[in-house]
Amino acid sequence: MNENRLFSRTRWRLATSYALVMGLILSFSGLGIYEAIVHAHWQTLDRELEFVAGTLHDSIENTLKQPGRLEPATQELLPEQMEQRHVLGAIHRGDYYIRFLDLSERKIALAGLQPEGLPLTSTKNTWQSPCDEQGNCYHQISLSLHTQNNTPWGYMQMGRSLRDINEYLTNVKLILLLGLPIAMILVGISSWWLAGFAMQPIYQSYKQIQQFTADAAHELRTPLAATRATVESALRTPHTFNLEAQDILKTIERQNQRLTGLVADLLLLAHMERRRSPLRSQLCCLNDIISDLIEELAALAIAAEITLSSEIRVYKPLYVVGDEEQLYRLVYNLVINAIHYTLAGGKVTAILDCSDHHALIKIQDTGVGIAAKEQKRIFTRFYRVDSDRSRTSGGAGLGLAIAQAIVQAHHGSLQVHSELGKGSTFTIRLPLAVTSPKSKNLNY
Ligand code: ADP
């Protein structure tokens, strides 16, 4: 596929588009995951601060007597003295600071962490995230304090260092940023492979069309060249006698017939490919088709010294719905092949049978047979096992392709069993009509 410029360009384009779309989806997903982690951390942090600060706030308020003054009982509650208190155990991890401010927001005391150069922030906003001189940031909650008799005392600000959270988020960011190019390389490789995989059937059919065009041109060239040679030689002989002129015209007519037949076969194949159904739907009696065929080909079989016979293994006529002309052509192609590829003294038998709501037509011969490796290819257009031999028999390699197309259009199947030197059996299987010949309602 890669040698063909059109296909390799399309594969590149497809793979790049896949990779780009996948890259965008992955980037947005990564961003979403990161945002979700950040959000979850901030929520946990808020809840933790709220709980720790709230508990401490309630205990402290019970000890306050005079606005702006910390009582000795209050100081006992602060982290340095609180080693035994489980509820404020979080403070002892060393990540918290507590600031006490008076009513005019001046600092009275500081407990816990001692961040250098941390600015005093207004208590109007409950939640803040100030940073110290070293660039360490904290998340802080501000709560107002009241004395025991409920007069405003001042404020308490509790902050928690964001160092561990920031470190964790930086690691997550790093993993996502490093993971993205690795994921993109994997996406690129799989996109290339997927694009190739998706294009394989199109490429196969492109190759078939190319092969078909080449074969068709080759087949058309032979009769055209023969006609041209005949005409040219006639023109070079000025005094052509009547008898010779007749011979020339006969040659031209023969070649013309061959061309006409070939074009008709190609048109039939193209038509069947498009429609995938028989041209007409009528009740066709297979017994009649076989007996007519045997009658028509009897003279040819006698000339080839071949015994041509039929064997009807059913007691009543078998009907199928389809195009009688096409069905006749189908059996004709198989019988004519059997005659062509059977040596003098051999036998060709057309058998009609039925099984499981299907009609079976078997064309059996004692001919040259077909090698196992060729048996699948013989249904390909223009394919001939032995092209020299087939050419002398007049076939262009379309007979079995047409037979196959007709069978498919009639929802049936065509199979071959053959042994080299012993003979071949072609079996046609067609669904029987589920109606009597008098009925107008035709169904498969
Ligand atoms: P052709 O027009 O050359 O006969 P077909 O499509 O009918 O083309 O058949 C394709 C090839 O299959 C033939 O070239 C021939 O080699 C082989 N073939 C078909 N029928 C028989 C048969 N009954 N016995 C042996 N070979 C056969």
Side-chain angles (χ1 to χ4, degrees):
M1 188 188 310
N2 294 333
E3 303 89 62
N4 185 303
R5 270 193 66 204
L6 173 74
F7 277 88
S8 79
R9 243 200 349 245
T10 314
R11 189 177 181 184
W12 263 111
R13 208 177 290 169
L14 259 179
T16 332
S17 322
Y18 278 152
L20 267 175
V21 172
M22 288 301 286
L24 278 175
I25 293 173
L26 276 178
S27 308
F28 281 119
S29 306
L31 206 70
I33 291 169
Y34 180 73
E35 284 301 319
I37 293 174
V38 171
H39 182 74
H41 269 81
W42 276 101
Q43 270 202 330
T44 316
L45 186 65
D46 283 358
R47 253 182 262 134
E48 184 185 308
L49 253 179
E50 224 164 20
F51 174 70
V52 177
T55 313
L56 194 62
H57 171 270
D58 294 348
S59 316
I60 286 173
E61 272 197 335
N62 287 336
T63 62
L64 298 176
K65 291 177 181 150
Q66 229 183 307
R69 226 193 87 182
L70 280 173
E71 307 300 326
T74 315
Q75 283 173 18
E76 267 177 37
L77 290 170
L78 297 181
E80 286 79 4
Q81 280 77 30
M82 286 181 58
E83 260 123 61
Q84 303 312 313
R85 296 206 177 208
H86 173 74
V87 77
L88 298 176
I91 296 177
H92 300 296
R93 286 207 306 261
D95 288 339
Y96 287 83
Y97 65 82
I98 305 161
R99 283 196 298 212
F100 292 96
L101 311 177
D102 62 15
L103 286 168
S104 49
E105 296 189 358
R106 272 199 311 260
K107 189 166 87 185
I108 298 172
L110 175 69
L113 268 181
Q114 304 283 323
E116 262 178 53
L118 187 73
L120 263 184
T121 49
S122 159
T123 56
K124 280 195 191 86
N125 301 325
T126 312
W127 293 104
Q128 281 166 330
S129 299
C131 296
D132 66 14
E133 277 172 353
Q134 274 90 47
N136 302 316
C137 292
Y138 301 84
H139 193 47
Q140 174 186 286
I141 185 169
S142 300
L143 300 169
S144 59
L145 285 169
H146 296 82
T147 60
Q148 285 166 345
N149 49 19
N150 213 20
T151 49
W153 180 90
Y155 304 94
M156 180 186 111
Q157 286 185 328
M158 179 180 266
R160 186 202 190 278
S161 166
L162 292 176
R163 198 184 55 225
D164 57 342
I165 292 177
N166 281 343
E167 263 171 25
Y168 176 76
L169 291 178
T170 312
N171 283 342
V172 172
K173 217 186 288 180
L174 211 72
I175 290 168
L176 287 175
L177 282 176
L178 283 178
L180 192 70
I182 295 171
M184 281 310 297
I185 291 171
L186 292 178
V187 163
I189 295 169
S190 47
S191 299
W192 177 251
W193 182 81
L194 275 175
F197 184 66
M199 282 171 60
Q200 205 57 42
I202 306 168
Y203 183 61
Q204 288 306 331
S205 100
Y206 170 80
K207 263 186 15 189
Q208 270 173 12
I209 293 170
Q210 255 192 346
Q211 183 66 41
F212 173 77
T213 316
D215 289 341
H218 183 77
E219 286 303 323
L220 291 170
R221 202 177 54 183
T222 317
L224 282 174
T227 315
R228 193 172 146 198
T230 316
V231 172
E232 272 175 5
S233 79
L235 286 174
R236 258 187 251 119
T237 326
H239 307 295
T240 311
F241 296 109
N242 228 358
L243 220 64
E244 282 172 56
Q246 287 263 331
D247 278 350
I248 290 165
L249 287 173
K250 268 184 199 156
T251 309
I252 293 173
E253 191 195 15
R254 215 174 32 245
Q255 296 303 340
N256 188 277
Q257 260 173 6
R258 196 171 161 187
L259 267 180
T260 315
L262 192 65
V263 171
D265 283 354
L266 285 175
L267 280 175
L268 177 69
L269 269 173
H271 168 82
M272 307 270 278
E273 193 112 283
R274 261 202 324 268
R275 265 178 67 103
R276 293 204 171 269
S277 63
L279 204 58
R280 277 175 290 269
S281 275
Q282 63 202 89
L283 269 183
C284 311
C285 179
L286 295 178
N287 301 56
D288 290 350
I289 291 179
I290 288 180
S291 59
D292 286 357
L293 242 163
I294 299 293
E295 212 179 299
E296 186 188 332
L297 294 175
L300 190 76
I302 291 167
E305 293 171 45
I306 286 163
T307 316
L308 175 64
S309 61
S310 65
E311 200 178 306
I312 309 294
R313 295 182 183 167
V314 285
Y315 300 106
K316 53 180 184 170
L318 293 184
Y319 288 90
V320 295
V321 179
D323 186 324
E324 191 159 348
E325 217 174 284
Q326 285 185 0
L327 288 172
Y328 192 87
R329 177 80 193 271
L330 159 67
V331 189
Y332 177 92
N333 280 6
L334 298 183
V335 177
I336 206 91
N337 271 354
I339 295 173
H340 280 153
Y341 300 107
T342 300
L343 303 175
K347 267 177 74 178
V348 172
T349 319
I351 303 166
L352 179 64
D353 204 349
C354 78
S355 136
D356 206 12
H357 304 294
H358 281 77
L360 299 179
I361 304 170
K362 292 184 186 180
I363 310 298
Q364 237 170 33
D365 66 56
T366 55
V368 292
I370 307 158
K373 65 175 176 29
E374 305 281 4
Q375 286 177 20
K376 266 195 187 145
R377 306 171 69 186
I378 53 172
F379 296 99
T380 313
R381 292 165 188 191
F382 296 113
Y383 187 78
R384 298 191 197 95
V385 177
D386 177 354
S387 40
D388 291 342
R389 188 191 156 85
S390 301
R391 200 182 286 281
T392 50
S393 71
L398 288 175
L400 288 181
I402 291 174
Q404 176 93 295
I406 296 174
V407 165
Q408 280 169 357
H410 287 78
H411 311 284
S413 64
L414 176 58
Q415 278 169 346
V416 58
H417 290 280
S418 188
E419 239 180 282
L420 262 184
K422 287 197 172 168
S424 317
T425 304
F426 284 82
T427 308
I428 304 165
R429 207 176 137 86
L430 294 170
L432 282 171
V434 285
T435 178
S436 75
K438 281 167 200 144
S439 164
K440 292 267 177 258
N441 196 9
L442 304 181
N443 283 311
Y444 282 102

